Amino acid sequence: MSQHFQHDVLIIGSGAAGLTLALNLPSQLHIAILSKGELSNGSTFWAQGGVAAVLDDTDTIESHVEDTLIAGAGLCREEAVRFTVEHSREAIQWLIEQGVPFTREDPTARDDGGFAFHLTREGGHSHRRIIHAADATGAAIFKTLLAKVQARPNIELLEQHVAIDLITESKLGLPGRRCLGAYVLDRQSGEVETHSARFTALACGGAAKVYLYTSNPDSACGDGIAMAWRAGCRVGNLEFNQFHPTCLYHPQAKNFLITEALRGEGGLLKLPNGERFMPRFDPRAELAPRDVVARAIDHEMKRLGIDCVYLDISHKPADFIQSHFPTVHERCLDFGIDITRDPIPVVPAAHYTCGGVVVDNHGRTDIPGLYAIGETSFTGLHGANRMASNSLLECFVYARSTAFDMLEQMADIELPSNLPSWDASQVTDSDEDVIIAHNWDELRRFMWDYVGIVRTSKRLQRAQHRVKLLLDEINEFYSNYKVSRDLIELRNLALVADLMIRSAMQRHESRGLHYTLDYPDMLPEARDTILVPPTYAG
């Protein structure tokens, strides 16, 4: 008999968005936060750059909005951009109040009540507006928020718990469509638990692991997007997958990205012979938006047949480099690269999923009681290309907005009860897990080759054919064998890959992160790509 648990709020994901949501809900509510593995395994912990916000007196909301709209290649929803930017300062103030140790302008100066924090500038921004904690901002934010969560007795942290599927009224054959919770695999016991909740929030991150080369941790499998789609939620703009231009290229470096801020502070991209190449592609050179820089690097690598290009900041003073980029400096030293003297070998890698589950400014999805926040969601903020450091900002602004929306409804929503247990009566233990590993590898390889930085219609058709075969095989396997984390992730990743391919095939233009040789021009009218699931009820 599987165990049943009841919560006021069930949060699937333990990164910046999930922790922020939990901390903005009152202490009398019972809240559960699920983490697939260890709590720090998400993308937040590894974010280096910082959080974009209008914090300096010389900066303006209009300037931040305009920069975001330009980077988004005409596809941002201005209402979402303005909502995010207008709430940026209060979100940062909340983080400061939580104790996040952002880097100060002068670490020795006493706080005089004014704004005393150092701001840096990144690609696409017209002002210095990135508040950061050296070059390990994500770790600083995560550790601070986690400590706050752990001090709250009403918040339960459940590690090694993998959400399988959402429970909705319609799936149970009941009238209505409300989300009632989720079925969850406890990896330690091997049992599938039933978690019911007044409200459920998907804060599961993105789907960059769909690609062979990525800066993301192994957990970025598109779980929230896949679960929401199966439950009947629309998804939007999944053809726009951002490739970080500069990931460390080294056989032992699995997924270490070199922060955008390094280029913001004067780092130069060079070919193996020491020649700069970015000025040939864009007047903003190294400070061009990420899609421009990633395509330029991809072009030069293919043109010259080279394995990588180089990012060089060695012309700056050594103490400047070590104080501004201690994490990058130490990590590169581990691989024998001294960035105070040597250029850093870099390649592009899948980094951020700009599309996701369609939500409003309160994080509400198409299904009552279900929210999506952070990289799982599609708010309209990022358009066709996410501007650097807007993603963490989106997490905080929308998580806080979601919390306020939940509170307004909480008294009117009853706690679901008597939900059916997970039915595992028709499945057996698998003795063929090699199939999972093989399909995982095949999926990520053809997504990299056919649905990567540069696309063609023929490549997309090949990818679609391959993913349909894989989906059939995976679904048959899922129907016959007990679930495991690997199987759940593969099922979700294959579904999201299919949605990405379908989205890309519908866009007959090149815009932002979607670049196709068959349609190299941008259409005069910008339209979102919205996919509607068969179970969508409008």
Side-chain angles (χ1 to χ4, degrees), residues 342-376:
D342 308 319
I344 308 166
V346 294
V347 292
H351 183 59
Y352 192 85
T353 309
C354 287
V357 183
V358 175
V359 297
D360 64 10
N361 283 349
H362 300 290
R364 292 181 291 217
T365 70
D366 294 324
I367 295 177
L370 179 66
Y371 295 78
I373 49 178
E375 195 175 351
T376 301

Side-chain angles (χ1 to χ4, degrees), residues 301-321:
M301 287 172 58
K302 288 175 178 172
R303 180 176 72 88
L304 297 172
I306 54 178
D307 293 328
C308 65
V309 297
Y310 294 86
L311 181 56
D312 190 0
I313 198 169
S314 62
H315 51 280
K316 291 282 188 176
D319 58 350
F320 172 89
I321 296 170

Side-chain angles (χ1 to χ4, degrees), residues 43-44 46-50 122 205-211 213-217 220 240-247 255-260 263 290 294 347-354 375 385-392 448 453 500 513:
S43 295
T44 296
W46 302 103
Q48 296 177 11
E122 296 179 352
K209 206 67 186 176
V210 76
Y211 288 104
Y213 301 110
T214 173
S215 66
N216 284 202
F240 297 111
N241 297 286
Q242 188 174 68
F243 290 79
H244 196 288
T246 55
C247 280
N255 53 11
F256 186 71
L257 68 83
I258 307 300
T259 173
E260 190 98 10
R263 283 183 284 127
R290 287 177 174 175
V347 292
H351 183 59
Y352 192 85
T353 309
C354 287
E375 195 175 351
N385 182 24
R386 176 183 74 94
M387 190 166 68
S389 293
N390 269 353
S391 51
L392 279 174
W448 180 263
I453 296 173
M500 287 178 176
L513 300 166

Side-chain angles (χ1 to χ4, degrees), residues 18 20 37-38 58 74 108 174 184 199 216 226 249 268 271 288 305 327 382 395 405-406 440 461:
T20 299
E38 297 178 1
T58 64
T108 63
L174 301 173
V184 179
F199 297 102
N216 284 202
Y249 178 75
L268 302 175
L271 298 175
T327 307
H382 305 304
C395 288
D405 194 68
M406 286 181 176
W440 175 273
Q461 288 166 2

Side-chain angles (χ1 to χ4, degrees), residues 4 8 35 135 138 174 179 190 206 251 266 277 288 317 380 396 490 493 515 526:
H4 287 237
D8 292 307
S35 178
D135 62 346
L174 301 173
C179 182
F277 59 90
F396 306 125
L490 176 63
L493 208 62
Y515 185 78

Side-chain angles (χ1 to χ4, degrees), residues 302-468:
K302 288 175 178 172
R303 180 176 72 88
L304 297 172
I306 54 178
D307 293 328
C308 65
V309 297
Y310 294 86
L311 181 56
D312 190 0
I313 198 169
S314 62
H315 51 280
K316 291 282 188 176
D319 58 350
F320 172 89
I321 296 170
Q322 291 169 5
S323 64
H324 279 71
F325 307 106
T327 307
V328 175
H329 179 253
E330 291 172 17
R331 184 66 169 150
C332 287
L333 278 179
D334 290 342
F335 299 111
I337 303 163
D338 182 353
I339 69 171
T340 66
R341 296 185 300 176
D342 308 319
I344 308 166
V346 294
V347 292
H351 183 59
Y352 192 85
T353 309
C354 287
V357 183
V358 175
V359 297
D360 64 10
N361 283 349
H362 300 290
R364 292 181 291 217
T365 70
D366 294 324
I367 295 177
L370 179 66
Y371 295 78
I373 49 178
E375 195 175 351
T376 301
S377 68
F378 165 60
T379 63
L381 170 64
H382 305 304
N385 182 24
R386 176 183 74 94
M387 190 166 68
S389 293
N390 269 353
S391 51
L392 279 174
L393 176 63
E394 182 184 46
C395 288
F396 306 125
V397 169
Y398 279 85
R400 284 162 56 81
S401 179
T402 291
F404 301 148
D405 194 68
M406 286 181 176
L407 281 176
E408 284 188 354
Q409 304 175 58
M410 191 67 68
D412 299 326
I413 304 300
E414 293 185 7
L415 192 64
S417 59
N418 300 319
L419 298 185
S421 298
W422 177 260
D423 183 7
S425 61
Q426 304 297 315
V427 297
T428 60
D429 288 315
S430 166
D431 59 357
E432 291 289 337
D433 281 357
V434 66
I435 295 172
I436 297 175
H438 181 271
N439 286 354
W440 175 273
D441 183 62
E442 181 183 354
L443 174 70
R444 297 177 66 217
R445 283 186 181 276
F446 75 65
M447 286 296 291
W448 180 263
D449 291 338
Y450 299 152
V451 200
I453 296 173
V454 178
R455 301 162 179 176
T456 67
S457 298
K458 188 172 286 188
R459 291 175 193 170
L460 293 175
Q461 288 166 2
R462 286 178 180 146
Q464 187 176 53
H465 175 70
R466 299 278 285 279
V467 82
K468 283 182 176 177

